[in-house]
Structure formats: C-alpha cells, structure tokens
Amino acid sequence: RGESYSPPTLTISERSLPESSAGAVILIFKSGSSIVEPADLNDQRVFFGFNSAEISKDAENNLLGQALYMKNHEDVKIQIAGNCDERGSTEYNLALGARRANAAKSVIVKDGIDSKRISTISYGKERPLVKGTGEKVWKMNRNATTTVK
C-alpha cells in the first residue's frame, strides 16, 4: 500500500538441501527466507488474503524465484493472471484481480526484469481454480497465476 519494495540482503550460507531441491537454485537470506528458482514458471501461483492485493512474504519469495528463473532464461515472457473468489460483483472482482496481477508483476520488475516481458490480465471470479464455496475454496481462488507466453 504505497510502500516501496527492496529486495532482501543476501547472505551466503551452507546448508543441507532436501532431495526435492535437486537442480534448483536456492538463495538463503538473513531473514531466514529462501528464494527457490522453479523448474518451470507455468502455473506458479501466489495467494492473497480476502479483499487484498497485498503481497505476503511467501508470495514475495515465490515471485523472486520467478524473477530468478527469468534472469536465467532471458527469452521467457510471462502472463500473470489475477483471480478472485466468488464473492463480490463481477466488476469489483475484475478490478481486484487486476490489482493482484499488477502487484505480482511489480515484485518481479523491481527485481530487475524488464516489464515488457510480463503481461497481466484479470479474470476476476470467472476462472476459479477450485469449484465450490466456503473459506477453503475461496482461499485457493484468491491468486495470481503465472504462465509462459
């Protein structure tokens, strides 16, 4: 909400990595958070709170991992789609989805990726990840989803 983003300070440290991280690039930061470069950007998702486009720490780490992937794959262009749960009007949710997609894009751009490589779109509540109703479903549908273009 008007706050500027600054990438965390990098600290080099040796740690044992789980087998599932084979081939991944992992950066460990002073705060204890880690940035993992995903094997692929398709269907990478970050999640949001109710009625919010605020980027959580987990979402920030995911998006910084996506930025790392894009730095290592300079030909990749992505689209970030903002999505909402079923509550609220179509118009309201389209606007909220746009804010979510743009918030996610902002983190990646501020980490050094050219904004021309990232397009955004809002689907509002029109393309739910999970069908149904209730908080467990709504929580999954409040997301920004990355796909390679």
Side-chain angles (χ1 to χ4, degrees):
R1 302 188 193 240
E3 296 177 20
S4 63
Y5 165 78
S6 316
T9 307
L10 177 64
T11 300
I12 306 296
S13 96
E14 291 185 31
R15 288 194 181 177
S16 301
L17 299 176
E19 270 185 53
S20 63
S21 64
V25 174
I26 299 179
L27 304 175
I28 310 292
F29 294 90
K30 282 184 183 177
S31 64
S33 64
S34 61
I35 308 305
V36 178
E37 178 184 356
D40 182 14
L41 290 186
N42 278 313
D43 295 323
Q44 287 289 314
R45 287 187 180 82
V46 295
F47 297 92
F48 295 88
F50 174 68
N51 198 28
S52 174
E54 186 174 328
I55 300 291
S56 68
K57 191 65 183 165
D58 285 343
E60 178 184 42
N61 287 343
N62 179 299
L63 293 162
L64 290 173
Q66 292 182 45
L68 180 60
Y69 182 96
M70 292 182 76
K71 289 174 185 175
N72 291 325
H73 301 87
E74 293 181 6
D75 59 327
V76 169
K77 293 181 180 181
I78 63 171
Q79 179 178 73
I80 301 174
N83 299 286
C84 302
D85 64 40
E86 66 184 357
R87 297 172 290 176
S89 70
T90 298
E91 295 78 16
Y92 178 83
N93 281 318
L94 284 170
L96 178 57
R99 288 195 306 275
R100 288 174 174 168
N102 286 318
K105 176 181 178 176
S106 178
V107 173
I108 296 171
V109 169
K110 287 180 181 176
D111 199 47
I113 301 303
D114 186 342
S115 65
K116 293 176 187 152
R117 294 175 60 195
I118 307 169
S119 63
T120 60
I121 190 166
S122 175
Y123 292 118
K125 60 183 178 179
E126 303 308 313
R127 293 190 179 183
L129 178 62
V130 179
K131 303 275 188 213
T133 192
E135 187 53 40
K136 287 181 182 178
V137 171
W138 295 334
K139 188 176 178 179
M140 296 300 294
N141 290 332
R142 297 188 301 254
N143 68 73
T145 301
T146 300
T147 53
V148 174
K149 288 293 162 190

